Amino acid sequence: MQFFSPQSYAAGDQNWDIDQADDKSIYVANNKGLLEYNGSNWNLYSLESQTIVRSVKVINNKIYTGSYMDFGFWEKNDSGLLEYSSLKDKLKLNLIEDEEFWQIIDLEDWILFQSFDRIYIYNSVKENVNIIESNVRISKIFKVNDIIYFQKMSMGIYKIEKGKAEIVSENVEMANKEIINIFDYDSGLLIQTRENGFFTLIDNELNVWNTKTNDFLSTLSVYSSIKLEDNSFILGTISNGI
């Protein structure tokens, strides 16, 4: 394991997202901008607005980022340096005041940018955008078997069908539990919450999954997770390690 301090990469001490390109270069969403690491050197690319970069996703030869009041992509010029293009400006979008973009997901020709208030569905071929509005907080979006799911806090779990939000579950027990991740599970979904462990959702029936483990997870605040090839899970917590 190799450790990099903020002094070594010469940027902010908060990093919000990370992704890797096909050439193995690593890109990090940082308080000071977009960080690029090629295995030996760090480069920092700041936005013209000097705002925080919250999310990053490498798709083909472009590095997409979401930031404060903007989202767009970076491409390398003839000198190998990254140059930024704002999709907000290109599409002439009117954003909500103080809107930030926390997550980016790609699905075929579409790229989704998620803020707490909206999901912007950008068609990278036709270069147009469709917007899903929400009057309550959208905490995260999830891609499961090429279906995009998201949670409207206090309302339920939704999926995106033909560019529109469609309800999947209005289960009262789940409505006020913040969902951290959603995974494929048998003929349904495995739902991981921040403070209440895992649940299964099969045929609209919600059940606790792995009760013994859930008792332990209920003592933690889980912020992120990933499913490994052997079907085990790594959980990242707030203040309690990995």
Side-chain angles (χ1 to χ4, degrees):
M1 180 176 290
Q2 191 170 358
F3 170 75
F4 299 97
S5 68
Q7 290 73 32
S8 64
Y9 57 73
D13 59 4
Q14 284 185 302
N15 298 293
W16 299 97
D17 200 7
I18 187 168
D19 203 11
Q20 189 168 29
D22 290 339
D23 66 0
K24 306 304 180 184
S25 295
I26 293 173
Y27 294 92
V28 183
N30 182 272
N31 271 13
K32 298 292 185 180
L34 175 66
L35 279 169
E36 179 187 50
Y37 181 62
N38 64 6
S40 58
N41 298 312
W42 288 94
N43 289 313
L44 174 65
Y45 294 93
S46 298
L47 293 165
E48 187 176 342
S49 59
Q50 299 292 310
T51 53
I52 295 173
V53 176
R54 296 292 193 187
S55 54
V56 59
K57 180 74 173 176
V58 182
I59 304 171
N60 299 323
N61 62 340
K62 295 180 180 178
I63 300 96
Y64 289 85
T65 55
S67 56
Y68 176 83
M69 293 298 288
D70 197 9
F71 61 88
F73 60 86
W74 305 76
E75 287 184 294
K76 289 189 176 181
N77 59 23
D78 294 337
S79 301
L81 301 175
L82 293 176
E83 294 182 349
Y84 182 70
S85 298
S86 170
L87 286 173
K88 182 207 74 172
D89 292 345
K90 182 177 182 178
L91 299 169
K92 299 179 180 178
L93 297 172
N94 293 317
L95 304 185
I96 297 172
E97 184 178 358
D98 293 332
E99 194 168 11
E100 297 185 84
F101 295 90
W102 293 89
Q103 198 171 358
I104 304 168
I105 287 180
D106 65 305
L107 179 63
E108 298 176 348
D109 295 335
W110 292 272
I111 303 169
L112 289 78
F113 299 86
Q114 173 250 324
S115 73
F116 289 149
D117 304 285
R118 292 171 168 173
I119 299 172
Y120 296 75
I121 307 172
Y122 170 65
N123 189 306
S124 59
V125 176
K126 297 179 180 179
E127 297 189 335
N128 56 23
V129 66
N130 180 44
I131 301 173
I132 292 178
E133 305 270 0
S134 178
N135 55 2
V136 295
R137 178 186 170 106
I138 300 171
S139 56
K140 288 186 178 181
I141 53 177
F142 315 95
K143 182 168 73 171
V144 184
N145 293 333
D146 289 336
I147 298 175
I148 304 297
Y149 295 92
F150 65 97
Q151 179 188 29
K152 289 186 179 184
M153 292 302 299
S154 77
M155 295 183 66
I157 301 170
Y158 293 74
K159 66 179 179 180
I160 297 177
E161 190 75 32
K162 297 180 179 179
K164 296 182 179 180
E166 182 179 303
I167 189 71
V168 172
S169 173
E170 295 178 290
N171 187 283
V172 175
E173 185 180 355
M174 182 60 66
N176 293 307
K177 292 179 173 65
E178 184 175 350
I179 295 174
I180 298 302
N181 218 332
I182 299 178
F183 305 96
D184 179 41
Y185 181 77
D186 291 341
S187 57
L189 300 173
L190 181 64
I191 300 169
Q192 184 220 323
T193 64
R194 179 184 286 268
E195 297 178 340
N196 301 96
F198 288 90
F199 293 80
T200 60
L201 181 63
I202 300 174
D203 296 329
N204 206 34
E205 184 177 334
L206 188 75
N207 291 293
V208 173
W209 183 70
N210 198 338
T211 304
K212 184 177 180 180
T213 301
N214 276 357
D215 289 343
F216 168 69
L217 292 178
S218 295
T219 67
L220 306 174
S221 182
V222 180
Y223 185 78
S224 60
S225 66
I226 187 171
K227 186 177 182 180
L228 305 183
E229 291 182 357
D230 66 357
N231 291 322
S232 61
F233 298 88
I234 291 181
L235 311 180
T237 72
I238 296 175
S239 301
N240 285 280
I242 297 173

